[in-house]
Amino acid sequence: PAFLAPVTLFPLKMLRAVVLAASLASAAAFAPSSILPRSSSHAAKAVGPRMQASESVPFLSKPKRLDSSLPGYVGFDPLGLSDYVDVKWLQEGEIKNGRVAMLGVVGLIVPEVFTFPFFKKGVAVYDNFFQIPPESLGQIALAIGLIEVFSHKGKITPVDMFEDGRKPGEFGFDPLGFGKNPDAFKRYELAEIKNGRLAMIAIGGMTHHYFLTGKGPIEFLTQIPNFKSCVANAASLPGAKVAS
């Protein structure tokens, strides 16, 4: 019908316009550009910035916010925590946990050699822990939290903990005067961090090993079994199940 002719012709005109525009665009893609500079015989190669590898994990990039002057710096931050949290706050946590771990390792080893009169002999530290009532454990946790808050004067967040210029892990406690010699103090700082890291790994290994074998560290070291004896005595291990 005649009244449908405009409707039919309009889409055809639009289709022709679209096809023409696509053809021109395709042809322009192969046409030489007039704004490109002339290429010389010695064209410079485009080289992007190279990734600086971490010293401890070479296949990861170097942490951006970790300073190599920090005590114990090895460029180790595989989770990228230093990109989101203040480095001083992270260092404070590492030093504190390292100190607690060093005390904990001593506390796990000494009871196998010496026992105070008010403790039972032959009872492992791990077993004594589970004999403490939950209410007492809650009181211990609360006391630790209060000590943490008051020692920092209520400033325990990464934003305000170091507003007074205090260095991480520094609380003015030096009864033996190790900090009098600056050169020696730097060695002590490094030794503390390294021993603290080792102690954190050690206390985790000692705890899990006791849960698996029921033996303390000294008892196990004096009776180190080989692989064959482990397999032969697998049934005697706590929680072990031998398939029939």
Side-chain angles (χ1 to χ4, degrees), residues 78-202:
L79 300 180
L81 298 178
S82 59
D83 294 337
Y84 306 98
V85 186
D86 185 14
V87 176
K88 291 183 179 180
W89 196 75
L90 295 174
Q91 190 180 12
E92 175 91 2
E94 180 186 35
I95 294 174
K96 282 187 175 180
N97 283 279
R99 291 170 179 172
V100 173
M102 286 188 282
L103 293 174
V105 168
V106 175
L108 294 180
I109 295 177
V110 170
E112 294 191 49
V113 182
F114 172 78
T115 305
F116 287 102
F118 45 85
F119 285 103
K120 294 182 180 180
K121 293 184 178 181
V123 180
V125 179
Y126 316 91
D127 296 330
N128 286 327
F129 176 80
F130 291 106
Q131 293 178 4
I132 301 175
E135 296 80 6
S136 300
L137 291 177
Q139 293 176 1
I140 295 173
L142 178 62
I144 294 173
L146 291 176
I147 293 173
E148 183 76 8
V149 171
F150 284 111
S151 62
H152 292 290
K153 300 178 181 179
K155 299 179 180 181
I156 58 176
T157 66
V159 179
D160 55 6
M161 179 175 284
F162 302 99
E163 287 182 345
D164 56 355
R166 181 181 64 87
K167 292 178 60 178
E170 192 174 276
F171 294 95
F173 181 78
D174 187 14
L176 301 180
F178 288 131
K180 294 180 179 180
N181 188 341
D183 296 332
F185 185 70
K186 290 182 179 180
R187 295 197 302 269
Y188 295 142
E189 276 186 325
L190 180 61
E192 181 187 34
I193 291 179
K194 285 189 174 181
N195 284 280
R197 292 170 179 172
L198 180 61
M200 286 187 282
I201 298 174

